[in-house]
Amino acid sequence: MKPAVKRLLFFTGLIVFWGLGSQFELWHETILPSPFSVWDALVAGFADMTLVYDLVASFRRLLIGLAVSLLIGTALGILLARSKTADDTIGSMVLALQSVPSIIWLPLAMMWFGLGEGAIIFVVILGGTFVMTLNVRTGIKNVNPLYIKAARTMGSGGIDLFWKVIIPASVPYLVTGARLAWAFAWRALMAGELLSAGPGLGYTLRYASDFGNMALVIGVMIIIGVVGAVVDQLIFQRIEKNVLKRWGLES
Amino acid sequence: MFIEIQHINKIYTDKDNNANTVLKDINLEIPKGQFVSILGPSGCGKSTLLSMIAGLTSASSGGIVVDGKNVQKPGKDRGMVFQEAALFPWMSVTENVVFPLRKDMNNKQAAERARHFLQMVQLSNYAGHYPHELSGGMQQRVSIARTLAMDPAVLLMDEPFGALDEQTRSRLHGQLEKIWIDTQKTIVFVTHSISESIKLSDRIVVMGTRPGTVIADIEVDIPRPRDEHKQQVAALEERIMGLLKGEIDKVINEELAYEARS
């Protein structure tokens, strides 16, 4: 059986089980709404455009935050890879920062940027930056020394060697870094939105929860999960696979 | 002389601060256009010596002069072919061959030149392919084309066919011999294969190990193609085998002694 078919059967089974459980009242509608209620809530949400505005707002923050974090992450990664002193000092700080969830910066961010876009985007940037930094650093440090030797015998050196050989050679790590940065940024965004003003998927989730609309809560959770999975599998994993193949790291 | 290697010594200091002499007082003179093999067991420092001519490794003492210039750092006058093809996987075959040319000429000239040298290694049909789509032998031919394209005065080859299967290797021997005859390049060819060195070169520098020294310098005066003179080839092979036997025993004994100690 193909993986896609297996997956389809699995999710169908899960929804049928969920629907039957609700039908026979194995659990109460207020605790776990039926799939039909969730579907209705989603349809209503899209019909009155709430969820559309939420998606647009969330994606806007994500794209800005992710773009900035990839830029800073790459620059910082290059610095750490090239300077031993930077690696010994800033590098250890980046490792420490990477190990904490970026949402803990929200209180400070709110003090600095107010309770709005600025604070959330700041948290998103912090979410993606450090994992990108560490991957860029590793990528540059792990460039096959043979490529560098070969390039040097062909008259390349200095800046030319760096941009034409070392950076392209570390592209597989850059792609992995970007993929992880996206995943961390997405989580940070949802956490940030839960705690701040709307519109946004996270905001609507909390809003629905405050009004006891569990069907919409589950609906938004499903959207968040689907967006995460789709972007990761359809975009990043595909790019990653192609790059690994082209770079000869996978047959 | 075209290449002069004078009193080269190389001493490594390992973790325990023991000085290891890798190369000891190497002196060689190589005239222009000669095909020289440097032959020796693994660990004799032959690759290190080649890397020094390329300018990738520095000597502890002594100097190397190529075409009147002291070797300080790598340069396009000394093209190097490594055991692995060392093609850049993110570039197509043509882009790889153009890499060393891009600063010396415009794109069109570089592409034209790349095509010419890909033709020489019979890979012009693969110009748009990427390295991962080629076999090991084809990759190595691209690597040779890339090196030839920058028109180096010397071609340095570090066991370039060592990782290939026997049939491919034998075919590439023929191609390399033809390229050498056509281009008249000076070639310094490092190998541990006695038959390979006899098949290809004008002269075989046999190196011994621990420390690396030149133990014999043999002119090969067997007419080409050498496949047609099997008896002479076999006689020379036996002679070199005799020279190296002691060296190989030395390596084995040392390794056994090391095993016994640890």
Side-chain angles (χ1 to χ4, degrees):
Chain A
M1 217 187 297
K2 277 187 181 169
V5 179
K6 283 187 204 163
R7 231 168 268 152
L8 191 69
L9 283 177
F10 170 72
F11 284 109
T12 313
L14 197 65
I15 293 170
V16 166
F17 172 73
W18 176 17
L20 287 175
S22 297
Q23 193 72 29
F24 295 108
E25 302 204 350
L26 293 180
W27 48 76
H28 199 267
E29 177 75 14
T30 50
I31 295 181
L32 182 62
S34 76
F36 304 104
S37 320
V38 171
W39 175 255
D40 290 343
L42 280 174
V43 169
F46 277 108
D48 69 9
M49 298 298 275
T50 329
L51 289 176
V52 177
Y53 290 134
D54 287 340
L55 273 169
V56 170
S58 291
F59 264 97
R60 201 180 137 259
R61 295 181 187 122
L62 182 75
L63 289 180
I64 297 172
L66 188 58
V68 174
S69 71
L70 293 184
L71 282 176
I72 302 177
T74 305
L76 208 51
I78 290 174
L79 177 71
L80 295 191
R82 303 299 280 184
S83 155
K84 176 97 174 62
T85 310
D87 200 24
D88 291 340
T89 53
I90 304 172
S92 59
M93 187 174 73
V94 168
L95 272 176
L97 289 172
Q98 163 60 17
S99 64
V100 297
S102 66
I103 192 65
I104 63 165
W105 286 88
L106 192 68
L108 263 184
M110 281 176 169
M111 291 291 289
W112 296 342
F113 306 106
L115 213 167
E117 293 291 281
I120 301 182
I121 291 177
F122 180 75
V123 169
V124 173
I125 293 173
L126 283 181
T129 299
F130 303 120
V131 70
M132 186 65 184
T133 304
L134 293 176
N135 270 277
V136 172
R137 173 189 171 277
T138 312
I140 292 176
K141 288 203 153 190
N142 281 0
V143 170
N144 186 346
L146 185 64
Y147 293 155
I148 297 174
K149 276 195 217 167
R152 290 182 63 208
T153 64
M154 292 185 286
S156 183
I159 292 173
D160 181 71
L161 179 70
F162 187 72
W163 287 111
K164 296 284 194 238
V165 178
I166 294 177
I167 289 289
S170 42
V171 160
Y173 284 88
L174 304 193
V175 172
T176 304
R179 183 178 142 222
L180 292 172
W182 136 261
F184 279 93
W186 182 238
R187 284 158 180 71
L189 174 70
M190 287 307 128
E193 285 185 349
L194 271 176
L195 299 171
S196 67
L201 285 172
Y203 170 75
T204 298
L205 182 73
R206 200 197 64 200
Y207 181 85
S209 154
D210 287 349
F211 284 84
N213 185 353
M214 282 305 135
L216 187 57
V217 167
I218 295 178
V220 174
M221 284 169 66
I222 291 175
I223 295 180
I224 295 172
V226 167
V227 168
V230 164
V231 172
D232 188 68
Q233 295 192 358
L234 290 191
I235 302 179
F236 283 107
Q237 289 200 13
R238 250 179 217 189
I239 299 176
E240 206 173 19
K241 215 175 147 194
N242 282 336
V243 163
L244 287 183
K245 196 174 161 202
R246 168 82 69 82
W247 264 244
L249 298 167
E250 188 186 68
S251 50
Chain B
M1 271 297 163
F2 191 62
I3 302 179
E4 288 170 42
I5 297 171
Q6 294 148 342
H7 303 291
I8 287 287
N9 285 287
K10 180 72 181 176
I11 297 155
Y12 278 116
T13 319
D14 64 15
K15 295 195 287 291
D16 311 326
N17 252 343
N18 298 323
N20 286 317
T21 307
V22 181
L23 291 170
K24 194 175 173 194
D25 198 30
I26 305 287
N27 292 285
L28 276 178
E29 294 196 329
I30 300 168
K32 198 174 168 76
Q34 194 171 51
F35 194 137
V36 192
S37 285
I38 300 180
L39 174 72
S42 44
C44 73
K46 56 192 189 297
S47 290
T48 309
L49 182 63
L50 195 73
S51 184
M52 283 175 186
I53 306 175
L56 291 168
T57 306
S58 60
S60 303
S61 66
I64 296 175
V65 177
V66 174
D67 202 8
K69 286 181 297 250
N70 236 320
V71 171
Q72 305 283 358
K73 57 182 175 68
K76 287 189 196 178
D77 56 326
R78 286 151 287 137
M80 179 114 167
V81 177
F82 299 85
Q83 180 166 5
E84 288 169 74
L87 300 177
F88 301 134
W90 57 91
M91 293 181 185
S92 70
V93 164
T94 300
E95 285 163 350
N96 264 290
V97 181
V98 164
F99 182 85
L101 309 175
R102 72 212 138 92
K103 292 213 171 124
D104 304 333
M105 53 189 79
N106 65 36
N107 292 346
K108 213 178 137 217
Q109 286 170 314
E112 184 54 43
R113 200 172 166 82
R115 195 167 61 224
H116 172 76
F117 283 95
L118 284 173
Q119 223 154 32
M120 190 180 266
V121 295
Q122 293 158 19
L123 279 176
S124 38
N125 286 339
Y126 292 86
H129 284 59
Y130 282 86
H132 77 272
E133 299 166 318
L134 308 182
S135 69
M138 288 155 93
Q139 291 185 9
Q140 198 55 285
R141 274 144 71 197
V142 175
S143 162
I144 292 171
R146 174 173 75 173
T147 309
L148 287 171
M150 63 184 189
D151 195 24
V154 195
L155 200 52
L156 306 170
M157 308 186 90
D158 190 3
E159 303 198 37
F161 310 135
L164 305 176
D165 61 77
E166 191 55 49
Q167 284 94 338
T168 312
R169 189 181 311 153
S170 152
R171 252 205 0 261
L172 289 193
H173 284 157
Q175 278 192 0
L176 179 63
E177 196 174 19
K178 186 172 180 313
I179 287 170
W180 173 68
I181 291 166
D182 291 347
T183 60
Q184 304 277 309
K185 293 272 176 225
T186 312
I187 299 182
V188 184
F189 189 99
V190 161
T191 178
H192 61 255
S193 157
I194 299 175
S195 58
E196 185 171 68
S197 66
I198 298 176
K199 189 168 172 189
L200 292 172
S201 44
D202 292 334
R203 173 181 170 198
I204 301 171
V205 175
V206 184
M207 285 182 69
T209 180
R210 303 174 201 230
T213 48
V214 174
I215 53 177
D217 194 338
I218 300 165
E219 293 287 332
V220 184
D221 50 9
I222 308 168
R224 293 171 195 266
R226 304 248 158 95
D227 290 344
E228 291 167 15
H229 302 82
K230 293 212 161 53
Q231 268 181 334
Q232 281 164 278
V233 168
L236 184 56
E237 207 167 317
E238 206 151 309
R239 187 177 148 208
I240 297 175
M241 198 93 84
L243 286 168
L244 283 177
K245 190 171 181 318
E247 293 304 320
I248 291 161
D249 288 345
K250 205 155 91 186
V251 174
I252 290 169
N253 286 337
E254 231 173 86
E255 271 162 15
L256 285 177
Y258 183 79
E259 290 285 311
R261 251 182 297 147
S262 57

